[in-house]
């Protein structure tokens, strides 16, 4: 079962370890280097992508004109991103080849059973309890 393998970190080895290790590492780096690393949440991008993109550009010291921001928004649309995504056959067994699914918040509810969702939720709170207490957000939609 894919969820069981993901929880054990076996579906993200190509990315350097488990999802939890990935989040912890970036969270710690962002806390130690807030001027160099900005945490961006998918839910925030879905709510107002243009504002999030503009904030990231400003964070990078590269504010965007309205024309440039429009181009970024078009280039980063879900359909454009999904159309460019490709997982090489050699790693399809180790990563999720369908990484881009629907591009909407909360669609996991139609994919995971109640039991799977409960296990993921428990694992998130178990592995990321320190980061959550420091301000990491888990968003529900």
């Amino acid at each position: 079962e894919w969820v069981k393998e993901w929880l054990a970190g076996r579906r993200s080895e190509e990315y350097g370890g488990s999802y939890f290790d990935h989040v912890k590492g970036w969270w710690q780096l962002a806390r130690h280097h807030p001027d160099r690393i900005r945490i961006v949440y998918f839910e925030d991008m879905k709510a107002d992508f243009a504002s999030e993109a503009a904030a990231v550009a400003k964070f990078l010291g590269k504010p965007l004109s309205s024309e440039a921001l429009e181009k970024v928004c078009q280039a980063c649309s879900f359909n454009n991103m999904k159309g460019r995504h490709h997982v090489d056959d050699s790693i399809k067994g180790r990563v999720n080849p369908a990484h881009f699914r629907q591009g909407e918040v909360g669609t996991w509810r139609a994919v995971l059973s109640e039991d799977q969702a409960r296990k993921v939720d428990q694992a998130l709170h178990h592995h990321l309890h320190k980061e959550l207490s420091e301000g990491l957000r888990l968003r529900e939609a």
Side-chain angles (χ1 to χ4, degrees):
E1 147 181 311
W2 196 91
V3 171
K4 189 181 226 179
E5 290 181 12
W6 181 82
L7 287 170
R10 292 189 296 268
R11 296 301 287 197
S12 55
E13 291 168 346
E14 292 294 320
Y15 305 122
S18 74
Y19 168 79
F20 310 110
D21 293 337
H22 174 80
V23 171
K24 283 180 181 188
W26 282 107
W27 181 257
Q28 290 169 6
L29 284 170
R31 288 187 46 88
H32 286 92
H33 305 285
D35 57 324
R36 296 176 58 196
I37 297 171
R38 176 177 162 70
I39 302 291
V40 179
Y41 293 89
F42 176 73
E43 294 83 356
D44 294 340
M45 290 189 298
K46 288 302 295 181
D48 188 352
F49 182 78
S51 291
E52 286 298 310
V56 168
K58 183 178 178 184
F59 177 80
L60 295 171
K62 303 287 184 182
L64 298 173
S65 67
S66 57
E67 296 82 19
L69 181 58
E70 179 60 33
K71 286 181 183 179
V72 167
C73 290
Q74 289 173 2
C76 295
S77 73
F78 176 76
N79 288 334
N80 280 337
M81 298 287 286
K82 186 174 183 175
R84 290 190 305 264
H85 179 68
H86 172 74
V87 174
D88 191 79
D89 289 340
S90 66
I91 65 169
K92 281 188 178 174
R94 298 186 304 259
V95 300
N96 181 4
H99 179 77
F100 288 87
R101 292 182 310 110
Q102 296 176 353
E104 296 298 331
V105 174
T107 58
W108 59 268
R109 287 182 182 89
V111 176
L112 301 182
S113 69
E114 275 189 44
D115 185 56
Q116 290 171 326
R118 182 182 49 75
K119 287 177 182 175
V120 168
D121 191 51
Q122 287 174 343
L124 286 167
H125 288 277
H126 172 76
H127 291 288
L128 301 175
H129 66 276
K130 178 180 179 255
E131 293 76 12
L132 291 167
S133 72
E134 294 171 345
L136 177 70
R137 293 183 292 152
L138 293 180
R139 300 274 309 262
E140 290 291 323

